[in-house]
Amino acid sequence: MAVSATLPAEEDPEISAERAYLATARTALQRMHHDVVTTETQLTAAAEDNDNYTERYYQRRARELRALALVDLPDVPLFFGRLDFDADQAEVGTQRLYIGRRHVHDGAGDPLVIDWRAPVSTAFYRATRDDRHGVRLRRRYGFSGAADLTAYEDEPLAGPGADGAAEAASSFLAAEIERPRSGPMRDIVATIQPEQDDLVRAPLEQTVCVQGAPGTGKTAVGLHRVAYLLYTERDRLGRTGVAVVGPNRSFLSYIRRVLPALGEVDVTQTTVEELIGRAGADRPEDPAVARLKGDGRMAAVLRRALWLHVTKPAEGLMYAKGTYRHRVADHEVSEIVAALRGSMRYGPGRTAAAKRLAHAVLVQMERRGESPDDRTHNAVARSQPVRRLLDQVWPKLVPEQVLFRLLSDAAFLAKAAKKDLTPDEQELLLWGKPARSWRSARWAAADSALLDELGDLIERTPSIGHIVLDEAQDLSPMQCRAIGRRGATGSLTVLGDIAQGTSPAATGDWPELLRHLGKPDARLETLARGYRVPAQIIDYAARLLPVIAPGLGAPTSARRSPGALRVTPAAAEDLPDAVVAACRECLEREGSVGVIAADAAVRTVHERLAAEGLAPALLGDSENALEEGRLVCVPATLAKGLEFDTVVLVEPARIVAAEPRGLHRLYVVLTRAVSALHVLHAEPLPDPLRTA
């Protein structure tokens, strides 16, 4: 049976010893940080004689990142577990290891804390009595306040006391999972479960797709996998880069502290729109149009639209040099263009056409007895006659030119669409009142992926070493293609839940989504057992699944929480008072409180709570809203990926009515609570929930 601290922390000699060890480790970490900073100062002075600016910059940047990674965060425990090994485990090198968020060594280089990502640390997450990995005892620590060590729990895996150890240890893990929190998300490195650890430690070359029910920790798995890959493949990823892609800025604000807490401070965190970076979203658009623009068929339409700009020449090429005239006949120009058309990207194809035309001219020069060299060849390729001819048959283009013509010219759209789009779909795509030119056009959000597709057809998109793509179920096929291009030579961690797909063009199927990402052979795993959301809430939300995701199995939860679910009807005139009363009650308990309502109503709720003196923050008004207090008002469309200890959900029917996939949105907001969910409504609940 597991053994926990039984004396008060101040009187327990074991806790005193562990606290002393923690203090020693913190002192060592501070020394390591000081050594890096001191070395940087010395190397910076010595590097002044180095004329290679780029080399100096990257050396300095590497030292700066190393120093940041060694900063001791006072509110983050330096270690969270300990492994005691069998005496005969010589390969371990010691019989006791402390497992923490980063490696710490003493002045002689001996380890005081082992990084959780090191191979030997795997045993902390995977050792069982049947497969001990040489471990005889696993210890977990409890902390309070500013990382103050207050408790421990031992789990014997061998010898007396091993029976029932796992069951006893689970209560300690549950206490850590249920610990109230406020502000941004924190890491789960102390509570990673074996099935999660298997995904975290998947090799870099493997693209992993995780279908995760609410509360299963899929976002945490993705972030911890980034930290693990940077530990094991730092040189490779240092050259090619890592990006974490989330659904919106509020979500990125929520997760931004996780990687720094794990010692990783140089990871790009961005949204899909920012990663693509092609167009604004200032043009309102009908969801049906957005859905069509996100359809994978648009890729073929865009490709044709681009290459339709390459035409047959009306005349040949005439190049003059001195008194000589060198002519390339129109049929020969046609052959050159036809041979290159569609065989490579549009931009390089134009360059190759110029070089082949120049080569045809040089052949004629040689026939006249001249001896042209590479300089002559380059001069002819860049000459005005060649450029003028190419402007006619292979014009320079930017993506906006092509898309503007496609959406404003019915005849051109019909020619590019062929049989891929029906006449009704073509009519849906066409702008009613197009701008005068592509330079003044206003673009919609869905146009961004289309412009990116065209951009890649013109010039190759640079690739990233590894991309974590969260809430991927909301991506359209065209957005998937845009992200897939950026991971073409790397790998991805794809995270999401089909049941939470709320965008008009959501794919709705993982194999199809992975195909559009260019990773059809990705490893697809399901996390169905939740650790964060109580069973009462999961079961309540799961009533929607037969309607929104009929083929998806119902999730389960590892825990129940007394009083986790309350559903309270109220008269319409009494609902605002009921919301205020519910928030006051929630604030009497520890932890964060999220008040979620339909976007159109959330500001009114916020104003009422503020008038009552509850000082709520409003998500969306500020990136730091989650840190401005315990009470946060959340528009339903920004709730995805967030968690609160308690959620007050106001008027579910209005959330459903606000958008075509409103039931999917309701499933999302119903599953944001870690401890308790209080549903308040005046209007009738959606049918699947009425029997609650």
Side-chain angles (χ1 to χ4, degrees):
M1 181 172 292
V3 180
S4 301
T6 55
L7 296 173
E10 293 74 14
E11 302 177 15
D12 192 317
E14 189 72 13
I15 287 183
S16 297
E18 297 288 27
R19 284 177 170 175
Y21 192 90
L22 177 59
T24 299
R26 286 201 180 278
T27 300
L29 181 63
Q30 292 166 5
R31 175 191 50 76
M32 292 167 64
H33 179 265
H34 178 267
D35 290 347
V36 169
V37 173
T38 302
T39 302
E40 179 184 352
T41 303
Q42 295 171 346
L43 291 175
T44 299
E48 291 180 357
D49 295 333
N50 188 343
D51 293 331
N52 190 326
Y53 172 81
T54 301
E55 182 179 344
R56 293 202 314 271
Y57 169 80
Y58 282 110
Q59 288 177 346
R60 183 173 66 253
R61 179 61 177 162
R63 291 191 296 271
E64 289 172 351
L65 293 175
R66 175 64 176 159
L68 284 172
L70 291 173
V71 171
D72 187 10
L73 303 176
D75 59 340
V76 177
L78 196 54
F79 57 77
F80 50 81
R82 194 184 86 186
L83 293 175
D84 291 1
F85 290 90
D86 296 336
D88 61 350
Q89 294 295 302
E91 68 272 18
V92 172
T94 180
Q95 288 183 240
R96 175 170 294 174
L97 294 176
Y98 286 80
I99 311 300
R101 287 166 172 80
R102 66 198 70 189
H103 179 79
V104 181
H105 62 79
D106 61 14
D110 294 325
L112 296 174
V113 180
I114 298 294
D115 195 302
W116 67 276
R117 298 166 288 187
V120 71
S121 300
T122 306
F124 183 79
Y125 302 104
R126 303 201 187 173
T128 64
R129 191 182 181 202
D130 294 330
D131 184 11
R132 295 192 297 112
H133 293 256
V135 177
R136 62 178 181 82
L137 183 141
R138 173 167 46 208
R139 171 171 288 186
R140 293 183 173 90
Y141 297 97
F143 294 84
S144 65
D148 183 26
L149 195 157
T150 57
Y152 66 90
E153 186 169 56
D154 287 345
E155 182 184 354
L157 299 181
D163 291 335
E167 290 78 5
S170 66
S171 63
F172 200 72
L173 291 174
E176 170 62 20
I177 290 171
E178 296 172 13
R179 181 159 57 97
R181 81 285 314 283
S182 60
M185 176 183 176
R186 63 172 183 250
D187 67 74
I188 64 163
V189 65
T191 60
I192 293 175
Q193 299 301 297
E195 67 271 23
Q196 296 171 330
D197 187 64
D198 183 55
L199 295 170
V200 166
R201 297 177 192 267
L204 174 61
E205 295 78 11
Q206 188 175 63
T207 287
V208 175
C209 178
V210 181
Q211 158 63 39
T216 54
K218 55 185 176 293
T219 295
V221 164
L223 295 173
H224 287 69
R225 189 182 183 207
V226 167
Y228 174 77
L229 292 177
L230 286 169
Y231 178 85
T232 58
E233 304 282 359
R234 193 170 301 277
D235 289 344
R236 290 171 62 183
L237 292 177
R239 295 190 300 269
T240 56
V242 177
V244 175
V245 183
N248 52 59
R249 273 281 140 198
S250 296
F251 174 84
L252 294 177
S253 175
Y254 178 64
I255 68 170
R256 64 186 172 85
R257 288 188 178 179
V258 174
L259 288 171
L262 299 174
E264 300 301 340
V265 294
D266 192 31
V267 176
T268 299
Q269 298 190 21
T270 185
T271 65
V272 174
E273 292 76 17
E274 291 167 348
L275 182 69
I276 297 175
R278 282 287 178 181
D282 60 347
R283 182 188 180 102
E285 192 159 60
D286 185 280
V289 179
R291 184 163 51 249
L292 180 56
K293 286 183 176 180
D295 194 297
R297 293 174 294 163
M298 289 298 299
V301 176
L302 293 171
R303 183 176 184 85
R304 289 191 206 101
L306 175 63
W307 288 105
L308 281 173
H309 288 81
V310 177
T311 59
K312 292 183 178 180
E315 57 184 16
L317 171 67
M318 195 277 288
Y319 178 81
K321 183 181 180 185
T323 59
Y324 292 106
R325 300 290 184 269
H326 304 281
R327 297 181 183 275
V328 181
D330 56 355
H331 69 86
E332 191 174 353
V333 174
S334 294
E335 291 173 359
I336 290 173
V337 171
L340 294 171
R341 187 182 187 278
S343 65
M344 61 182 71
R345 282 175 169 79
Y346 188 92
R350 176 185 161 98
T351 301
K355 291 181 178 179
R356 291 199 183 183
L357 289 170
H359 176 74
V361 171
L362 262 64
V363 168
Q364 295 189 22
M365 290 181 179
E366 290 172 345
R367 288 173 181 169
R368 291 179 179 271
E370 298 182 40
S371 300
D373 55 16
D374 288 344
R375 287 177 299 178
T376 307
H377 183 270
N378 291 334
V380 175
R382 295 194 300 267
S383 68
Q384 187 176 12
V386 171
R387 291 202 308 269
R388 186 166 52 243
L389 176 61
L390 286 177
D391 287 342
Q392 297 171 8
V393 300
W394 202 309
K396 283 187 177 180
L397 294 171
V398 296
E400 288 79 3
Q401 287 174 276
V402 182
L403 188 58
F404 176 79
R405 184 180 178 189
L406 190 71
L407 300 181
S408 58
D409 185 336
F412 183 71
L413 174 58
K415 195 172 182 180
K418 287 192 174 181
K419 295 182 179 180
D420 285 318
L421 301 178
T422 67
D424 288 343
E425 288 175 326
Q426 295 174 38
E427 182 67 26
L428 191 63
L429 280 179
L430 284 170
W431 284 342
K433 295 181 179 179
R436 291 184 177 181
S437 75
W438 64 269
R439 297 182 186 275
S440 59
R442 291 176 61 203
W443 302 103
D447 293 327
S448 179
L450 304 185
L451 292 169
D452 192 74
E453 183 83 20
L454 288 165
D456 186 71
L457 290 170
I458 296 171
E459 296 287 348
R460 183 183 298 276
T461 302
S463 188
I464 301 171
H466 190 77
I467 299 174
V468 173
L469 182 59
D470 209 345
E471 303 297 348
Q473 76 281 341
D474 274 330
L475 298 180
S476 70
M478 294 304 294
Q479 287 176 315
C480 289
R481 290 176 61 87
I483 293 169
R485 284 188 285 275
R486 287 157 176 82
T489 60
S491 59
L492 286 80
T493 301
V494 183
L495 311 167
D497 178 9
I498 293 298
Q500 297 184 52
T502 56
S503 71
T507 305
D509 178 75
W510 287 123
E512 181 185 353
L513 186 144
L514 292 169
R515 179 172 59 82
H516 289 300
L517 283 171
K519 306 293 182 183
D521 298 326
R523 171 185 173 187
L524 178 57
E525 296 287 346
T526 298
L527 294 178
R529 185 172 175 81
Y531 298 92
R532 308 285 299 140
V533 184
Q536 299 98 312
I537 298 175
I538 282 289
D539 293 344
Y540 184 65
R543 298 181 181 200
L544 299 174
L545 290 179
V547 179
I548 63 175
L552 204 62
T556 60
S557 177
R559 63 190 185 91
R560 302 184 70 86
S561 179
L565 176 65
R566 292 170 62 187
V567 181
T568 305
E573 62 272 17
D574 297 331
L575 188 61
D577 291 336
V579 173
V580 172
C583 290
R584 289 192 188 280
E585 180 184 342
C586 293
L587 289 172
E588 292 175 358
R589 301 189 294 269
E590 288 186 287
S592 58
V593 181
V595 183
I596 307 179
D599 288 26
V602 72
R603 192 168 292 276
T604 300
V605 173
H606 175 262
E607 291 172 354
R608 176 61 189 274
L609 294 175
E612 295 289 336
L614 298 183
L618 179 59
L619 193 65
D621 275 9
S622 165
E623 284 193 12
N624 298 318
L626 294 170
E627 302 178 60
E628 293 175 2
R630 291 176 54 208
L631 181 63
V632 184
C633 293
V634 183
T637 57
L638 295 182
K640 192 169 293 183
L642 307 185
E643 287 182 345
F644 301 92
D645 288 292
T646 303
V647 167
V648 176
L649 174 55
V650 183
E651 209 61 278
R654 295 194 180 183
I655 294 174
V656 174
E659 55 186 311
R661 296 173 70 92
L663 280 176
H664 293 76
R665 184 75 66 188
L666 179 58
Y667 181 77
V668 172
V669 301
L670 284 171
T671 54
R672 299 305 95 199
V674 174
S675 297
L677 169 66
H678 192 172
V679 180
L680 291 163
H681 68 99
E683 299 178 16
L685 292 171
D687 288 342
L689 303 182
R690 289 184 187 179
T691 57

